[in-house]
Amino acid sequence: MWTARSTLKFYVGKKRGRRSDDHLHEYRRGVAVPPFAICPVERMVGVTTMAPLKVDGDARAPLLELRGICKTFPGVRALDNVSFPIWPGEIHMLCGENGAGKSSLMKVLCGAYVADEGELFHHGEKIEIKSTLDARKFGIAVIFQEFSLVPYLSVAQNIYLGREFPGKVLGTIDRQKIRSEAQRVLGMIGSDIDIDAPVHTLGVAQQQIVEIAKALSQNARILVMDEPTSALSDTETEHLFGMMRRLKAAGVAIVYISHRMAEVFLLGDRITILRDGKKVATLLPDETSPGDLVQKMVGRKVDAIHRRGANIKAGEVALDVKGLSGPSGISDIHLNVRAGEIVGLCGLVGSGRTEVARAIFGADRVTAGEVTFFGKRFTGGPDEATRRGVALIPESRKLQGLALIRSVGDNIVVAALDRLFPSHVFHPGKAGKVAQAMIKKLRISTPSARRAVQVLSGGNQQKVVIGKWLTADARLFIFDEPTRGIDVGAKAEIFALMYDLVENGAAILMISSELSEIVNVCDRAYVMREGIIAGELSRERLSEENILQLGMHHE
Amino acid sequence: MSEGALAQGMSVLGRVPGVAFVLVALIAVFASMSPGFSTAPNLTNILVQSSILLLLALPMTFIIMTEGLDLSIGAVLTLGSVVLAAVALATGSLTVGFIAALAIGLAFGLLNGWLIAWLDIPPFVTTLGTLGVAQGLCLVITDGTSIVGLPSGLQFFYSGYFLGIPFPLVIAAIAYAVMHGILYHTRLGTYVPALGGNREALRHAGVNDRVVLAVIYGIGGLMAGIAALLLTSRISSAHPTAAIGMEFDAIAAVAVGGTQFERGEGWLLGTLLGVITIGVLRNGLNLLAMPSSIQVICVGLLVIVALFFDGMRKAQE
Amino acid sequence: MSQIEAAAPKFKLTVSRDLTDVAYRLLAVALICIALSLVSDAFLTANNLLNVLRQASLVFFMASGLTLVILTGKIDLSIGATVGLSACVAATVIKSTGSPWLGAAAAIGVGSIVGLGNGLMVTKLRIPSFIATYGMLWVAQGATYYYMSGQSVYGFPTGFRALGSGYLFGIPIPIYLMVAFLVIGYFFTKRTTYGQQIYAIGANTVAARLSGIPVNSRLNLVFVLSGAMAGLASLIYLARLNSAEGDIGETLTLPTIAAVVIGGTSLFGGVGSLFGTFIGGLILTLILNGMNLLNLNANWQPLVTGLIVLLAVWLDMKTRSKTDSN
């Protein structure tokens, strides 16, 4: 049985994916019964009690229209002449690669950025959004991926943050009213979160719901959502989609940013594609297909990821994990990786993949189990792992992988200082030579080895991280989402590098949310679910369907 | 079964703040070691002596909850006292002197707030700088000596009684009530944990976070101005180093009270207990004839122990 | 792998940020010197200039260790109190044993222990450094007062006093020491793997840890070095003053931080240099010397130092945010 969750991560060009997509089209047209709980009538009441849609000016005009919006940052044209209307009661999908300008557009809408050029029309009247207050005045609410919640305030206080109801005594707030209003708004979504709970005690999904409640409490007419389902479970996702439909029925416009093709076609009334800050097209779902969409997003024909030949010569066991458990929520993890192999580690976001990687590398505390590198027991921290020839290419390049203010050269040699300079005397000339060679080898595009890493593109930054570990002579690489936020061309280069590494006898453990990457790149894969290894898939059984089967929550 | 009961008992105990245990333990130790400790006059004395510290520790709680710090508050208190004395002598009016002290305190608080909120200078270095400035002004105004010969009416504010209650306690109680009201019943108070926990959220909510921050530091300065009245009354004079270093006791009280230096977690009742704990510690050591140098070391160790247990608690969560 | 050998380094001659920073600060030194020589005849005398350098050397010793700490993105507010405690312990050791060498060992030993205490609080107990070292400030100061119990120790052997007030070829001995430590410090920060790791930790502590740098042990190292340098500074201070009292280090923390900040080391870590700190100390000393020459009361010193700290940090933030957006 396909649920909404199971289709979330299918990718272009796969037969099964295509079929499921047609399936979804039928849902959208109402031909088939959608796999969502039908909203009970009493919940609909919540929506009808919302303020009726107020129409100022021309009723036939779009709710909001963007005309020729431009935003330039030093060196980057983030938005380039973007125009499109947003109509009441539509779910408007916004698609584009990372860096295409989606988040800049969102920030212009919510008043965090002010557009350099261009005009905004609200019901046909020209408006200016210069602050978040302006945006709120026009009924625009944005739900960001990074939560805008305060950990040590209650759910109710967070929902009405900045809009507290005044109390009887001058300067005070009416806490009771804040509580009752918060309760009402959460009821509208059908959530039973305790309004008095401090937000730091909530899980990620519950925090997401509080975010949405916060936006709804502002009587938002235009709701902008940035990948809201990335941290939600099946039921929560269904709940969210149901709620979105009800909002839509009440005339609210939803601008929805998603990387998940299934969601785009399931929910979208219209789809706007951005590329390099420009609008490529606004399409109806019927006029397009996932393949077409991706092609428009990347701007050129996507080459299917080159699948590695089957002639794998697996060598000695590079990594052997037995019964690893830790306070970060992983338990009884067993896995191994041999030299010459690329082994995938997949599962939903939050299933514990990153935590396993960190525990193996010695970055997090473990409570049980053992890790063996190249036949020798390992118990130390990241410094010891590095000495043993293990590399971790972390999830967040900017926060965990690179010292952004330091030069490309400094970053390349930083993990190899002890190896290159065993006497601890540092020779800048030698370091420069090594860095230069690595820049050349990995074709890192930088004006100079002395340039700060922060000016490089995402793909080149990732190459610097990989170069750092090549310089350190690592033989076991743990890649955590190696292609996140980098363009298609750079992705292919990263994979080519990985193939090169294993052909020269290295071992790779790769974490990825893109199932197509796992299927095409890996020789076998482990699938995680809620902190445990749900199963292992051999090369023959490695398919997106099987991964989803294992990785899904069973209720 | 017994294990379950034990766990339940532990969880009940866990809800009592650590500072309460420390306070009870200290009182027990001092009561057994020095007979003069648990007398009514001495206990009242502890509370009266703690009142000045409370006036500093209350706003310090707010400031630390914003992930800030105010190292200048002791020096600003001293400056307030010096200004109060100098102006009172010059004009012959205590009221004018007190207003001047409030004004100078508020000015320094707002200066701190402006430097931190608008110029983005880290709080500890900002307030270290203004500490130097305030201390320097004290020295320049007094030329390094005490200001004496203040009107005798001044003594009422520290040693007088209001409805049979020592006047400093009245001031302290009002200050606590007001600060409690601000933190838990006003917009400003709601924004205090938000400044420390997620400043971005506050900006997105359309709140001018800089103004809020400046107001919070301003309150700190104002409270130092009020404390200056009690301090000057207590020593019947103004001395350029009278309260230098009192910011340490204030920060210690807040830390011992369980307010965190990160993420905007904090509570005012803990600070009250922290202030009394520090007061008990200093008074008890005093009765045992320990020099103030030992007292300072003990306060420092107490803070380290408190932070250590906080760290353990966080590691468990 | 032969590629590594084959590739020749092709560094363009780019003027690094460090160099321009230092150039601006040298310009500031020149301007202050010109201004002071205009307003006071006493300024441009060999005696006064050597005196300024000697004062600056004292600031440099304290500030050099602190620079290492600040480069890692941490802070050490206990510097002044550490100088005080080391000086008092060294003074009593020299008095009772008559041996300056034992005194020196005691001063550096006490400084290192205090530094280690700071380091362990930061790395093991995970207390933010500004609060841990601030607590240490008071603990060390309390310990100093308790140890001295109001007494002062004075009158040290001439050989020891030469360390602070002696001359060699007409130049005060502390200046030689400062030059020596400037060279050693340059080598340590720029030409050892430890120095590279210190910069890496300051630039991004998380990334440094995940790159295999033993972050905790390096942090302990810089705190110990900071304490040890404070111990060394206390010796020169002691030799110069020829007496030790409990309050000896009380006013030293603010000028030390001022020197580092004026020198261009970022309080956020990863940027700065020891040479910058030397110039920072020089600028601070010149300003205080100028106040002296203009007969401004010593009571003005904390006020001016405080203002300088605020101004320097503000200027630093300004220039940094400008270069960041470029």
Side-chain angles (χ1 to χ4, degrees):
Chain A
M1 166 71 192
W2 283 86
T3 70
R5 186 83 226 179
S6 63
T7 59
L8 293 183
K9 270 297 173 192
F10 91 89
Y11 212 67
V12 190
K14 300 298 295 170
K15 275 184 187 163
R16 188 71 173 101
R18 169 76 71 188
R19 198 163 69 221
S20 76
D21 191 58
D22 293 340
H23 193 51
L24 289 169
H25 267 274
E26 287 169 9
Y27 291 158
R28 206 184 46 78
R29 297 193 200 97
V31 175
V33 179
F36 300 105
I38 307 288
C39 324
V41 179
E42 56 271 26
R43 285 206 187 139
M44 295 292 292
V45 177
V47 175
T48 54
T49 57
M50 287 175 62
L53 198 61
K54 203 169 67 199
V55 181
D56 325 312
D58 189 352
R60 285 157 303 171
L63 203 46
L64 190 75
E65 186 172 2
L66 294 80
R67 282 191 207 154
I69 300 291
C70 296
K71 178 76 195 172
T72 309
F73 295 105
V76 194
R77 192 124 171 106
L79 290 174
D80 189 357
N81 199 19
V82 174
S83 310
F84 64 90
I86 299 164
W87 296 94
E90 74 164 344
I91 297 181
H92 196 127
M93 290 289 163
L94 206 55
C95 299
E97 284 194 303
N98 288 303
K102 292 167 304 189
S103 42
S104 300
L105 189 65
M106 248 176 43
K107 286 188 171 155
V108 167
L109 285 179
C110 76
Y113 292 166
V114 178
D116 303 331
E117 286 169 51
E119 296 169 315
L120 289 166
F121 292 88
H122 184 253
H123 291 301
E125 282 169 27
K126 188 171 184 307
I127 58 163
E128 284 189 355
I129 299 178
K130 290 193 164 154
S131 68
T132 41
L133 280 179
D134 287 344
R136 194 188 297 159
K137 199 167 72 198
F138 296 112
I140 302 169
V142 175
I143 297 164
F144 284 96
Q145 243 175 331
E146 319 87 58
F147 296 123
S148 58
L149 300 177
V150 177
Y152 285 91
L153 284 180
S154 72
V155 168
Q157 282 174 314
N158 265 291
I159 291 176
Y160 282 95
L161 185 71
R163 299 175 294 123
E164 293 80 5
F165 301 103
K168 289 188 191 74
V169 183
L170 186 73
T172 60
I173 51 177
D174 187 345
R175 293 210 293 181
Q176 211 46 52
K177 186 160 183 207
I178 291 173
R179 291 180 72 253
S180 59
E181 285 296 305
Q183 191 73 68
R184 189 183 64 79
V185 174
L186 283 172
M188 242 161 67
I189 320 174
S191 161
D192 56 356
I193 299 174
D194 177 9
I195 52 164
D196 294 321
V199 159
H200 73 100
T201 61
L202 303 182
V204 180
Q206 285 178 309
Q207 293 190 10
Q208 175 94 49
I209 289 164
V210 176
E211 279 284 342
I212 292 167
K214 191 170 160 181
L216 291 182
S217 71
Q218 300 171 19
N219 277 329
R221 293 281 140 230
I222 300 168
L223 203 56
V224 186
M225 297 173 143
D226 185 8
E227 298 219 50
T229 53
S230 60
L232 299 190
S233 72
D234 292 352
T235 21
E236 286 161 341
T237 302
E238 284 170 26
H239 226 111
L240 176 69
F241 288 174
M243 189 193 74
M244 284 169 60
R245 292 208 177 80
R246 274 174 279 142
L247 290 170
K248 181 178 147 177
V252 172
I254 297 173
V255 178
Y256 192 103
I257 295 174
S258 181
H259 286 297
R260 292 172 173 173
M261 238 11 103
E263 288 182 354
V264 171
F265 282 91
L266 175 66
L267 296 168
D269 294 306
R270 286 184 313 142
I271 305 164
T272 290
I273 303 148
L274 293 179
R275 184 176 71 226
D276 303 328
K278 296 189 186 72
K279 188 184 93 167
V280 178
T282 298
L283 303 164
L284 295 174
D286 295 344
E287 301 169 352
T288 181
S289 67
D292 178 45
L293 215 56
V294 170
Q295 212 177 317
K296 286 198 164 66
M297 275 159 58
V298 293
R300 53 187 178 272
K301 188 82 188 144
V302 188
D303 295 323
I305 300 161
H306 158 69
R307 184 162 181 159
R308 220 151 71 87
N311 54 338
I312 300 140
K313 3 179 227 303
E316 58 155 346
V317 177
L319 168 68
D320 194 15
V321 178
K322 285 202 178 77
L324 196 66
S325 303
S328 55
I330 54 169
S331 67
D332 200 28
I333 302 295
H334 290 262
L335 59 83
N336 64 68
V337 183
R338 291 169 172 276
E341 259 189 328
I342 302 179
V343 176
L345 185 61
C346 45
L348 299 174
V349 172
S351 61
R353 304 167 310 182
T354 298
E355 288 74 9
V356 167
R358 289 178 58 91
I360 292 173
F361 196 63
D364 285 347
R365 209 157 55 86
V366 295
T367 46
E370 63 179 70
V371 175
T372 311
F373 294 143
F374 309 106
K376 280 193 194 130
R377 180 86 194 273
F378 167 76
T379 50
D383 49 333
E384 177 62 19
T386 304
R387 268 195 291 279
R388 299 272 197 95
V390 183
L392 176 67
I393 290 92
E395 208 176 358
S396 166
R397 278 189 296 285
K398 292 184 176 180
L399 297 181
Q400 304 165 326
L402 295 166
L404 290 173
I405 58 169
R406 302 195 85 210
S407 73
V408 173
D410 287 339
N411 274 285
I412 286 177
V413 299
V414 72
L417 287 169
D418 289 341
R419 189 183 75 82
L420 292 172
F421 310 102
S423 63
H424 297 296
V425 178
F426 177 76
H427 299 286
K430 183 177 176 191
K433 264 184 207 166
V434 170
Q436 202 62 47
M438 196 51 75
I439 288 170
K440 197 173 172 194
K441 181 177 179 188
L442 300 184
R443 292 201 295 279
I444 298 170
S445 156
T446 171
S448 136
R450 306 176 107 178
R451 193 53 79 88
V453 168
Q454 61 191 356
V455 302
L456 268 53
S457 71
N460 281 305
Q461 287 183 348
Q462 189 68 303
K463 286 191 204 165
V464 173
V465 181
I466 296 171
K468 169 172 85 180
W469 291 114
L470 292 180
T471 310
D473 256 358
R475 289 174 297 147
L476 168 63
F477 292 78
I478 305 170
F479 283 89
D480 194 350
E481 301 276 12
T483 60
R484 175 176 289 178
I486 65 182
D487 62 51
V488 174
K491 271 183 196 176
E493 279 191 81
I494 303 275
F495 288 131
L497 256 168
M498 289 167 72
Y499 296 154
D500 205 41
L501 280 173
V502 284
E503 262 146 41
N504 286 310
I508 293 178
L509 181 67
M510 177 175 117
I511 295 172
S512 179
S513 294
E514 301 293 347
L515 297 191
S516 62
E517 284 183 11
I518 297 277
V519 170
N520 284 309
V521 173
C522 296
D523 303 315
R524 59 193 171 89
Y526 295 93
V527 183
M528 289 196 69
R529 183 180 67 231
E530 292 168 347
I532 59 159
I533 298 274
E536 182 187 346
L537 295 169
S538 64
R539 191 178 167 87
E540 294 71 38
R541 294 188 52 230
L542 191 55
S543 68
E544 292 183 29
E545 290 87 343
N546 287 339
I547 293 174
L548 285 168
Q549 281 290 316
L550 283 169
M552 260 160 27
H553 299 268
H554 297 285
E555 282 151 64
Chain B
M1 276 309 278
S2 67
E3 248 178 50
L6 186 69
Q8 204 176 9
M10 289 296 280
S11 81
V12 170
L13 278 181
R15 259 173 266 143
V16 179
V19 57
F21 292 115
V22 175
L23 184 54
V24 169
L26 281 179
I27 291 174
V29 168
F30 287 131
S32 66
M33 286 177 79
S34 79
F37 179 80
S38 47
T39 60
N42 186 54
L43 293 178
T44 313
N45 189 25
I46 291 175
L47 292 179
V48 170
Q49 283 175 349
S50 300
S51 58
I52 296 179
L53 183 58
L54 185 71
L55 291 180
L56 302 189
L58 290 172
M60 188 70 86
T61 311
F62 282 37
I63 289 168
I64 289 177
M65 281 172 79
T66 68
E67 294 192 340
L69 194 68
D70 189 350
L71 298 177
S72 72
I73 206 162
V76 172
L77 161 57
T78 312
L79 180 62
S81 166
V82 165
V83 166
L84 191 155
V87 172
L89 272 190
T91 63
S93 160
L94 265 182
T95 317
V96 177
F98 182 47
I99 291 171
L102 288 180
I104 195 85
L106 183 63
F108 262 88
L110 291 177
L111 174 68
N112 282 333
W114 177 67
L115 291 166
I116 292 164
W118 272 273
L119 304 188
D120 286 327
I121 303 178
F124 74 86
V125 75
T126 301
T127 54
L128 198 65
T130 51
L131 180 158
V133 175
Q135 205 175 347
L137 283 175
C138 291
L139 289 170
V140 170
I141 293 171
T142 61
D143 205 20
T145 57
S146 293
I147 301 177
V148 289
L150 297 170
S152 58
L154 184 67
Q155 284 178 8
F156 165 79
F157 297 104
Y158 192 76
S159 349
Y161 287 83
F162 180 78
L163 302 176
I165 303 164
F167 192 72
L169 286 190
V170 175
I171 300 258
I174 293 172
Y176 184 83
V178 169
M179 293 298 268
H180 179 94
I182 291 177
L183 186 56
Y184 299 109
H185 293 278
T186 68
R187 286 189 165 213
L188 182 71
T190 311
Y191 302 152
V192 169
L195 278 169
N198 191 344
R199 192 164 300 187
E200 206 59 37
L202 209 52
R203 262 177 229 152
H204 276 303
V207 177
N208 191 332
D209 56 316
R210 289 177 166 160
V211 171
V212 177
L213 205 56
V215 169
I216 290 167
Y217 280 92
I219 291 175
L222 201 62
M223 296 288 271
I226 298 171
L229 181 67
L230 296 185
L231 178 74
T232 320
S233 165
R234 179 182 177 180
I235 57 179
S236 300
S237 64
H239 191 270
T241 60
I244 297 295
M246 199 183 263
E247 69 275 6
F248 176 58
D249 279 17
I251 294 169
V254 175
V256 170
T259 293
Q260 303 296 304
F261 289 92
E262 279 155 351
R263 300 229 294 156
E265 180 187 5
W267 60 318
L268 224 43
L269 186 63
T271 297
L272 179 64
L273 292 173
V275 166
I276 297 173
T277 305
I278 303 277
V280 164
L281 182 66
R282 282 198 177 258
N283 177 279
L285 290 172
N286 232 348
L287 292 180
L288 296 173
M290 292 289 180
S292 74
S293 53
I294 290 286
Q295 295 175 21
V296 170
I297 296 175
C298 288
V299 173
L301 294 179
L302 190 64
V303 172
I304 292 173
V305 170
L307 291 177
F308 176 69
F309 279 107
D310 271 342
M312 300 253 290
R313 182 176 61 93
K314 265 187 244 159
Q316 271 183 355
E317 287 171 4
Chain C
M1 291 302 117
S2 63
Q3 268 179 314
I4 292 178
E5 266 67 47
K10 276 177 276 179
F11 286 140
K12 269 192 239 163
L13 195 68
T14 47
V15 181
S16 79
R17 176 104 206 282
D18 276 6
L19 275 179
T20 48
D21 274 12
V22 167
Y24 276 125
R25 284 170 173 84
L26 284 174
L27 189 68
V29 171
L31 287 177
I32 295 170
C33 286
I34 291 169
L36 287 178
S37 56
L38 288 179
V39 295
S40 164
D41 295 337
F43 177 73
L44 219 55
T45 59
N47 227 350
N48 186 54
L49 290 180
L50 286 178
N51 194 30
V52 164
L53 274 177
R54 175 162 51 202
Q55 296 281 348
S57 71
L58 196 67
V59 176
F60 174 75
F61 285 121
M62 293 185 289
S64 58
L66 181 63
T67 306
L68 298 180
V69 175
I70 294 183
L71 278 177
T72 65
K74 306 286 175 191
I75 185 76
D76 185 353
L77 295 175
S78 71
I79 287 276
T82 312
V83 170
L85 184 60
S86 308
C88 290
V89 172
T92 48
V93 168
I94 293 170
K95 271 310 247 194
S96 57
T97 64
S99 158
W101 296 108
L102 282 179
I108 294 170
V110 167
S112 306
I113 290 167
V114 173
L116 184 64
N118 283 329
L120 292 177
M121 278 194 286
V122 171
T123 57
K124 295 283 172 212
L125 302 186
R126 313 225 148 266
I127 303 174
S129 64
F130 66 86
I131 209 72
T133 58
Y134 181 66
M136 184 59 92
L137 185 172
W138 291 98
V139 172
Q141 203 161 76
T144 312
Y145 277 97
Y146 181 70
Y147 184 70
M148 298 303 280
S149 49
Q151 304 292 306
S152 65
V153 180
Y154 50 88
F156 302 115
T158 355
F160 176 69
R161 284 174 57 197
L163 190 61
S165 36
Y167 287 82
L168 192 64
F169 309 121
I171 294 171
I173 287 171
I175 297 179
Y176 291 104
L177 280 172
M178 174 170 69
V179 172
F181 271 89
L182 203 51
V183 173
I184 295 170
Y186 174 83
F187 183 80
F188 179 75
T189 51
K190 300 286 186 186
R191 290 299 178 98
T192 67
T193 54
Y194 299 107
Q196 291 296 308
Q197 291 173 340
I198 285 168
Y199 277 95
I201 291 169
N204 184 343
T205 309
V206 175
R209 178 163 180 260
L210 292 181
S211 299
I213 293 175
V215 171
N216 283 353
S217 88
R218 293 299 173 265
L219 286 179
N220 284 329
L221 174 70
V222 296
F223 277 108
V224 168
L225 284 177
S226 174
M229 287 306 287
L232 188 76
S234 79
L235 287 172
I236 293 159
Y237 207 49
L238 201 60
R240 177 102 186 108
L241 289 178
N242 196 21
S243 81
E245 281 175 57
D247 64 355
I248 188 167
E250 235 170 45
T251 57
L252 295 178
T253 301
L254 190 60
T256 307
I257 291 176
V260 179
V261 171
I262 299 169
T265 298
S266 163
L267 287 165
F268 300 97
V271 178
S273 69
L274 276 178
F275 191 67
T277 297
F278 159 67
I279 299 174
L282 196 59
I283 292 176
L284 182 73
T285 317
L286 280 171
I287 293 171
L288 297 180
N289 180 259
M291 287 168 55
N292 219 357
L293 294 176
L294 296 174
N295 288 323
L296 217 57
N297 194 319
N299 284 338
W300 286 88
Q301 275 195 14
L303 198 158
V304 172
T305 314
L307 287 176
I308 291 174
V309 167
L310 293 176
L311 190 70
V313 182
W314 177 60
L315 280 176
D316 185 55
M317 306 278 303
K318 271 248 146 156
T319 54
R320 218 164 287 286
S321 61
K322 213 175 266 170
T323 46
D324 280 354
S325 58
N326 281 350

